Amino acid sequence: MNMKLLRYTVWSRILLASLAVLALLFYRPRGVMENIRLKYPYLFKGFIGVVTGALVAFAFNDSGVVAAATTMIFGAPPLVYLVLSEQRPDNKHTI
């Protein structure tokens, strides 16, 4: 069922885009993820939990693409926000 859903549902594009964004953020810009891990340790553990939950949902659910994509919605946008706010020169953001 996952292979069928990968080809025909819009959720597969959301899942792939979220995974691509997260993979890119873990490597570029260099050191930002380490800063986020040190500054917000519980939030960082939450991001790891979201990714783990998405992988488990994808592997063990019959419509895992949809479950994994909806799970990634809770992880990717906040992480993008944190990375962008860490790059700001004034670095004034609150969580």
Side-chain angles (χ1 to χ4, degrees):
M1 183 60 110
N2 276 338
M3 296 309 287
K4 190 178 205 179
L5 285 172
L6 270 174
R7 289 188 301 200
Y8 297 114
T9 184
V10 70
W11 289 105
S12 63
R13 292 178 190 93
I14 294 170
L15 177 64
L16 293 175
S18 297
L19 289 175
V21 165
L22 288 178
L24 182 68
L25 290 179
F26 271 98
Y27 293 109
R28 297 282 181 206
R30 190 173 200 113
V32 172
M33 288 305 292
E34 183 66 21
N35 292 340
I36 290 172
R37 185 182 70 81
L38 293 174
K39 202 182 272 189
Y40 310 104
Y42 294 113
L43 196 57
F44 188 79
K45 289 176 186 176
F47 291 134
I48 300 299
V50 165
V51 171
T52 304
L55 291 174
V56 169
F58 183 76
F60 294 109
N61 195 345
D62 63 340
S63 59
V65 174
V66 176
T70 54
T71 303
M72 293 299 289
I73 288 173
F74 296 103
L79 187 61
V80 170
Y81 171 76
L82 276 177
V83 169
L84 289 176
S85 63
E86 286 290 318
Q87 296 299 310
R88 288 182 56 182
D90 59 357
N91 202 7
K92 292 181 181 175
H93 64 279
T94 59
I95 293 184

